[in-house]
Structure formats: C-alpha cells, structure tokens
Amino acid sequence: MAQAPELTTTRRSPSPALQADRRARHAPSLDRSRPETEGSKRGGEALTIVTFEDAPDPTPTGADQLLGLDVALQELARLQPRQALVVESRFFGGFDVAESAELLGVSEATVLRDWRAAKAWLARELRRAS
C-alpha cells in the first residue's frame, strides 16, 4: 500500500477584519459585564464628558432678567416714583400714552418724557447688574 503523505495542520490567525468584527459584536456584552466602578479599579475616577450643549449658559434666563428688572424698578420707584408708575402702567398694565396720562393725571408729553427717561435709566441699571 502506498504511503499517504503526512498531513500537517497549520493554524492561521483570523484576518484583521474578522477580528474587528468579532470585537464589535462582543463589545456591548463586555460593556454590560464591566462593574460600574471599573474606573476606580486602577485609582482613576470615571470621566464625565461635557458637551457645549451641556455646559451652563452664561446668559441670564428670563427669570433672572425679570428679577433684575424688579430690583431696578424698585430703585427707580424710590428715586423717581412717577417714572416708575409710568413704566408699570405701560409695561405691565399695557396702557398706551393717553391712558397712562389719564391714570397719573399728567399730560401725554410728561408721560413720554418720563417713559424715555425711565427706559434709559432701567437699561443702564440692567447692564450694570449683568
């Protein structure tokens, strides 16, 4: 009988693409199996990633601006009570110039003058506060 050639087996390693595919399929299950404190295992703390969307917004919110306006309006009422009343009637009350003049018992020109002065003063105070 003829002698069969001896078969030798060579073990080839999987291709890099196959290795990457295998890692990608197993990564989710590996992540779930890791303990929550894995970052502290080697003395490090877990990193917190902050994006620009998560960063605190340095601009004041509507509530902050409204509180600033209230503080400034209280100060204006202390310094110029009629101007504060003009602002309250026009801004918060929704009155026009004629209605504000009638409410306060002054002329429309006085309401306009007080309105302009009060707006300028409040704008300066709000800029200073921010």
Side-chain angles (χ1 to χ4, degrees):
M1 201 161 173
Q3 204 162 357
E6 198 172 310
L7 296 175
T8 60
T9 59
T10 58
R11 188 162 200 209
R12 296 186 335 189
S13 62
S15 71
L18 186 59
Q19 289 175 345
D21 181 56
R22 187 178 300 146
R23 279 193 301 266
R25 281 187 284 133
H26 293 291
S29 60
L30 289 175
D31 287 341
R32 283 192 302 271
S33 67
R34 287 189 179 118
E36 301 257 339
T37 59
E38 201 228 340
S40 62
K41 170 170 77 172
R42 292 182 180 84
E45 293 184 19
L47 295 176
T48 302
I49 297 173
V50 178
T51 64
F52 285 114
E53 290 80 24
D54 297 334
D57 189 10
T59 58
T61 63
D64 293 337
Q65 290 174 337
L66 193 57
L67 288 173
L69 177 62
D70 184 53
V71 169
L73 195 54
Q74 288 176 13
E75 181 66 16
L76 180 63
R78 191 180 67 74
L79 298 172
Q80 298 288 333
R82 190 180 67 213
Q83 288 182 6
L85 289 173
V86 168
V87 171
E88 288 173 356
S89 69
R90 303 263 345 254
F91 189 75
F92 296 107
F95 292 6
D96 63 14
V97 174
E99 291 169 330
S100 296
E102 185 179 334
L103 175 73
L104 298 172
V106 296
S107 70
E108 291 182 19
T110 300
V111 169
L112 286 173
R113 193 170 35 255
D114 284 350
W115 177 242
R116 279 192 302 269
K119 285 193 308 182
W121 188 88
L122 288 169
R124 187 182 72 229
E125 289 300 306
L126 292 174
R127 275 193 307 272
R128 185 182 297 163
S130 64

